[in-house]
Amino acid sequence: MLDLITHPAEHVVAMKAGGIVTGSELQRAIDAIEAAKRNHPLISLVVEIDNLRFMTLTALLKDVGYGLTQLGDLDRYHRAAVVTDQAWIELFAALEERLFKAVEIRTFASHEHAAAMAWAAELPPGAHENPEEDGYHGA
């Protein structure tokens, strides 16, 4: 199961994964990411993982294929918050952080869900679509 979850910041795509993830569920997440990229110069992700067992072969191939297409587009991704209590996923996230230095990846324990959502919503100075959010209040 992979479901999109609501996030108050429009540039953040949030989802929850657990059990068995199918190709169609993963496609919904990919579509949400692509929609966010069309509407915002920088996006962030929140992925809450609870008791993930595995991905179907279709989902796995789709995940790897989409991931490869994003290698040239990593500058569009700001942060990825991974919310989990599964140690193997924390190790995987740490490896991804080292491999994909353009994206800031941080893991949070399940009880830190609110902190993960807030962290993912933060944008670097100058990246806000509304200049007032970057501290500019006119001349």
Side-chain angles (χ1 to χ4, degrees):
M1 172 242 14
L2 188 140
D3 292 318
L4 295 172
I5 55 178
T6 312
H7 194 286
E10 292 181 5
H11 71 279
V12 177
V13 177
M15 59 196 87
K16 182 174 184 171
I20 300 168
V21 175
T22 67
S24 61
E25 293 168 339
L26 187 61
Q27 187 60 54
R28 281 195 306 274
I30 290 170
D31 292 345
I33 291 167
E34 289 302 309
K37 285 170 56 182
R38 280 191 300 277
N39 295 317
H40 304 282
L42 277 179
I43 69 163
S44 291
L45 306 172
V46 175
V47 182
E48 184 178 332
I49 302 172
D50 184 30
N51 294 319
L52 180 65
R53 290 185 27 218
F54 65 89
M55 298 171 88
T56 65
L57 180 58
T58 303
L60 181 61
L61 293 173
K62 190 176 293 276
D63 186 43
V64 170
Y66 181 68
L68 290 173
T69 68
Q70 298 306 291
L71 290 176
D73 217 10
L74 289 177
D75 60 336
R76 298 289 310 281
Y77 295 85
H78 177 52
R79 289 182 167 171
V82 179
V83 182
T84 189
D85 290 327
Q86 295 180 269
W88 71 271
I89 293 173
E90 290 180 30
L91 291 172
F92 190 71
L95 175 64
E96 284 186 326
E97 164 117 80
R98 289 183 178 203
L99 291 173
F100 307 113
K101 295 194 180 288
V103 182
E104 197 175 347
I105 301 170
R106 184 171 159 195
T107 58
F108 295 81
S110 292
H111 71 275
E112 299 174 305
H113 184 267
M117 297 285 269
W119 180 79
E122 294 173 3
L123 285 170
H128 292 91
E129 293 171 32
N130 177 353
E132 289 185 4
E133 292 180 64
D134 280 323
Y136 177 77
H137 298 287

